[in-house]
Amino acid sequence: MIARLWQSLRFRLSGLIGPRMVYGYRRHDGVYLPRTRVSNMTRIEYPQRLELGDNIWIGHFNLIDASGGLSIGEGCQITNYVSLLTHSSHIALRLYGNAYLGQRDPKGYLRSPSSIGPYTFIGPHSVLMPGVHLGKGALVSAYSFVTAGEYPDFAVLVGNPAQVIGDTREGDARWLQKHPELAPHYAAWAGRENLPQ
């Protein structure tokens, strides 16, 4: 009896203190995003510099660093254990060693805005460095390390460092052939010219 009560209590408490998705997000400008979901176990630094669209899903145990400015377009999915970075001090720390603390403008310190286009998917354990600009409909494979740069719409990125190896529209074409009724929805965000043939 006591064991069953303890198990029941433990289950109820895990929902309060364990990972869970929080539905709805209020941006720094007061706009409420009712369809955006963010895990209670994701850390968002500098939320006042984070621009979010709606219908975004940000999973568990992520670091979202918006100190340099970060834009995440509508419909993006950021899985688990992802780091989205807009600053990096590792080069400056190596250059200065113990003298790093207290430097006003350390050489090697990187700060650069980043952006993630609408309807992009970022796989687990990925790192996006400062200055990454992903186009719409992109896919970042699990365990990828994405360095600063411009990446095209619908890019499939894989590896360390990540490289473009494909186009998400190829996979989307199979789904749209099976379900042609979805073409207007797809065209609404991707553009009619991007409908896979």
Side-chain angles (χ1 to χ4, degrees), residues 3-156:
R4 200 168 19 177
L5 285 173
W6 173 246
Q7 184 178 5
S8 173
L9 179 62
R10 208 171 74 199
F11 176 76
R12 288 184 183 151
L13 286 175
S14 71
L16 296 175
I17 57 177
R20 63 185 175 82
M21 296 307 293
V22 178
Y23 285 71
Y25 184 86
R26 187 165 305 281
R27 283 192 324 215
H28 63 89
D29 58 3
V31 172
Y32 181 68
L33 306 170
R35 297 180 302 151
T36 291
R37 291 91 63 209
V38 179
S39 169
N40 68 328
M41 295 295 185
T42 281
R43 175 151 177 87
I44 298 176
E45 294 184 356
Y46 294 86
Q48 69 276 17
R49 307 224 43 217
L50 176 62
E51 295 300 324
L52 289 178
D54 201 6
N55 200 20
I56 292 173
W57 192 88
I58 301 175
H60 306 304
F61 310 112
N62 296 305
L63 171 61
I64 310 294
D65 160 39
S67 63
L70 177 61
S71 171
I72 302 174
E74 76 172 16
C76 285
Q77 292 183 321
I78 299 166
T79 58
N80 303 310
Y81 300 99
V82 171
S83 294
L84 300 180
L85 307 173
T86 61
H87 88 278
S88 178
S89 59
H90 73 280
I91 294 170
L93 280 166
R94 283 197 309 277
L95 294 173
Y96 286 94
N98 269 347
Y100 173 76
L101 290 178
Q103 296 293 323
R104 289 187 157 260
D105 186 20
K107 308 298 183 266
Y109 183 91
L110 306 174
R111 176 168 282 153
S112 185
S114 295
S115 61
I116 300 170
Y119 298 94
T120 289
F121 176 88
I122 300 176
H125 300 279
S126 294
V127 176
L128 279 68
M129 292 299 286
V132 167
H133 299 280
L134 296 176
K136 65 185 172 188
L139 184 147
V140 176
S141 181
Y143 294 94
S144 292
F145 182 84
V146 184
T147 58
E150 302 276 336
Y151 297 91
D153 294 345
F154 309 103
V156 176

